[in-house]
Amino acid sequence: MEAVCDQLHGDDDDEEEKEAGADEAMLWSIQEALERQTLQIGTSACGATAVVDVLKALGVDVAPEEADRCVQTHLRRNESPLPDYLLSRSEAGATHAQLIQGAQEASKGKVIGRFFHFHPRRLVRLVPWLARWIRKGAVPVATMNMQLVVPEGEEVPDAWHHQLIFGVAPNAVFMTNPLDVGSEGEVHQRLCSESVLLIRREDVLQRLTPDCCLSSLSDSQSDPRWKALDVVGQVRQMALEEEQEQNRPKLTHITIPAAYSSGITLFALRESDLEQELLKAPELPLL
């Protein structure tokens, strides 16, 4: 929290900050964000939580339960055998499309959303781009792979994350749930990710039983990425490492396909000038 305030209230006499004033835009002040933000409303419900705050920022009050119902959050099937568990992990939570549909339904059609892909990498400066849209009245939500840019010594997070962006300043992006500030660089890297998810070793091995039919992960899936990533081979490698018990480095995670796309969804009120501008805006150009 101190970092958020320090970043926003730096040295007012700094000439570089004055020149970068065009890169500053806030939907809420820090104090307003503290008072108005919605904390996680349920398991895997960061997307629905972000939608609650999007609607709030656009003047539409909706109960968290209604937002979650409209977003249709997917849950992990923790008690399932390994193949079904991995399938559930690949889609747990919500995609940007679910957020857009959920916001529209929960607001009874008053709110629209437009997603901008950031992967593959785009030719864009994140903070100035966000500042321009925020000044026009758009409400951004970031869909980020939090398993990227992990601070040294910290454990790799277990999931992707949706966060409402309530403001930007030079080299700073301010977000809710939790109230946080990220540097432009680290946020941009998390926004530019392949659609993959790391699953922890222990989460795989504790569900790997002798009668487990792994072939279903590559043979019967409509998504060819399961086979391309050789998820079955990764699981077998982990199992082999357990049997051999050698003092070699072991796989800490396996990589599976993820349903999510990294990028920014911008929300606006329907039947506004901003709606038309948002819907007509071109995709960000590839780098």
Side-chain angles (χ1 to χ4, degrees), residues 1-10 30 34 174 179-181:
M1 182 56 220
E2 289 181 7
V4 178
C5 295
D6 290 345
Q7 190 75 44
L8 191 58
H9 304 298
I30 297 291
L34 269 171
F174 301 95
L179 197 68
D180 194 14
V181 58

Side-chain angles (χ1 to χ4, degrees), residues 151-248:
E152 188 175 349
E154 290 190 15
E155 188 176 349
V156 176
D158 202 28
W160 285 45
H161 198 34
H162 301 286
Q163 286 185 272
L164 176 133
I165 295 173
F166 69 89
V168 291
N171 196 34
V173 180
F174 301 95
M175 297 167 283
T176 60
N177 187 37
L179 197 68
D180 194 14
V181 58
S183 73
E184 183 174 22
E186 71 181 12
V187 172
H188 202 156
Q189 285 185 67
R190 289 170 179 159
L191 285 168
C192 183
S193 170
E194 291 184 68
S195 296
V196 293
L197 179 70
L198 299 177
I199 306 295
R200 295 177 300 197
R201 182 182 189 88
E202 57 267 33
D203 289 336
V204 173
L205 293 179
Q206 70 185 23
R207 294 173 175 85
L208 184 58
T209 58
D211 61 345
C212 194
C213 182
L214 295 175
S215 60
S216 63
L217 289 174
S218 55
D219 293 346
S220 61
Q221 297 306 318
S222 58
D223 187 342
R225 295 181 300 160
W226 290 88
K227 190 169 186 176
L229 288 169
D230 190 20
V231 176
V232 172
Q234 294 180 66
V235 172
R236 287 180 176 152
Q237 175 64 27
M238 272 192 178
L240 190 62
E241 290 171 348
E242 288 296 295
E243 291 174 8
Q244 293 176 339
E245 295 185 355
Q246 295 178 350
N247 292 324
R248 289 186 191 171

